[in-house]
Amino acid sequence: MIGRLNHVAIVVPNLAAGTAVYRDTLGATVSAVQTLPEHGVHVVFVELPNTKIELLEPIDARSPIAKFLEKNPSGGMHHVCYEVADILAARDKLKAEGAKVLGDGTPRIGAHGKPVLFLNPKDFCGTLVELEQV
Ligand code: CO
């Protein structure tokens, strides 16, 4: 069911510093900053030959990732995103398997303008999983 790894998301306390690490130290191409108020994040995309890394910084203390940063003050890996062809079919299959889809199970529009869902880490080896329909 899952296809390519679309991206790995890393939460950072400071997006400018995270950008500098990936652009200057690691020599990657990093996008301009985008602000996604509906997700509570500022984000840059690190373009790699085979996937992307998203660096996420909370907009404010109400951001869904603010708590993550409280527990991981220097930042850390937040989720992995796998591509699926049909997100509703994927959701229904996962629910039938007993997996928990976060929120009300309705796909939201993610950072790339495509429908996404998040899955409970407890069901997926302790890792928050995002599914994106491509
Ligand atoms: Co993501």
Side-chain angles (χ1 to χ4, degrees), residues 33-85:
V33 179
Q34 288 181 30
T35 296
L36 305 173
E38 67 277 21
H39 294 280
V41 297
H42 304 291
V43 58
V44 296
F45 303 104
V46 180
E47 295 291 340
L48 302 179
N50 62 342
T51 192
K52 293 184 284 288
I53 306 296
E54 292 182 4
L55 302 181
L56 307 171
E57 180 192 63
I59 289 178
D60 57 31
R62 292 167 305 156
S63 169
I65 58 169
K67 262 206 175 66
F68 181 91
L69 214 42
E70 276 171 30
K71 289 183 201 147
N72 308 276
S74 52
M77 207 201 85
H78 186 258
H79 66 267
V80 294
C81 177
Y82 302 121
E83 298 180 354
V84 294

